[in-house]
Amino acid sequence: MTAREDAHEAAPERPAPRCPVCGRPRMDRWRPFCSKRCADADLGRWLGEAYRIPAVEAALEEGDARAMGPEET
Ligand SMILES: [Zn+2]
């Protein structure tokens, strides 16, 4: 049985691509992740950061409007 050895030699050794979320071998269906769970986790992280920015801007606008108000005693 040498066919198996030949196939092993012909196949180049390359590191398996890993899921960037949990580090497990990735699946073609969910690449670059290993599962829907990891894909959702990464997407949720991005959305969370995107939502945080407008919230900060709104807070700053509120502060400006307050500072611009005339102060008379
Ligand atoms: Zn994963």
Side-chain angles (χ1 to χ4, degrees), residues 1-67:
M1 278 221 182
T2 55
R4 209 169 185 183
E5 280 179 30
D6 287 342
H8 182 74
E9 266 185 43
E13 268 191 53
R14 62 167 91 165
R18 302 247 169 191
C19 168
V21 175
C22 70
R24 285 193 293 184
R26 69 173 67 168
M27 297 280 286
D28 273 353
R29 186 180 173 185
W30 300 112
R31 69 185 169 176
F33 308 103
C34 72
S35 62
K36 187 178 190 300
R37 195 173 169 187
C38 282
D40 282 350
D42 191 71
L43 185 70
R45 206 178 53 190
W46 278 99
L47 288 178
E49 283 180 21
Y51 279 129
R52 215 178 293 162
I53 292 161
V56 171
E57 276 180 7
L60 284 176
E61 261 179 52
E62 214 173 296
D64 281 350
R66 217 194 209 171

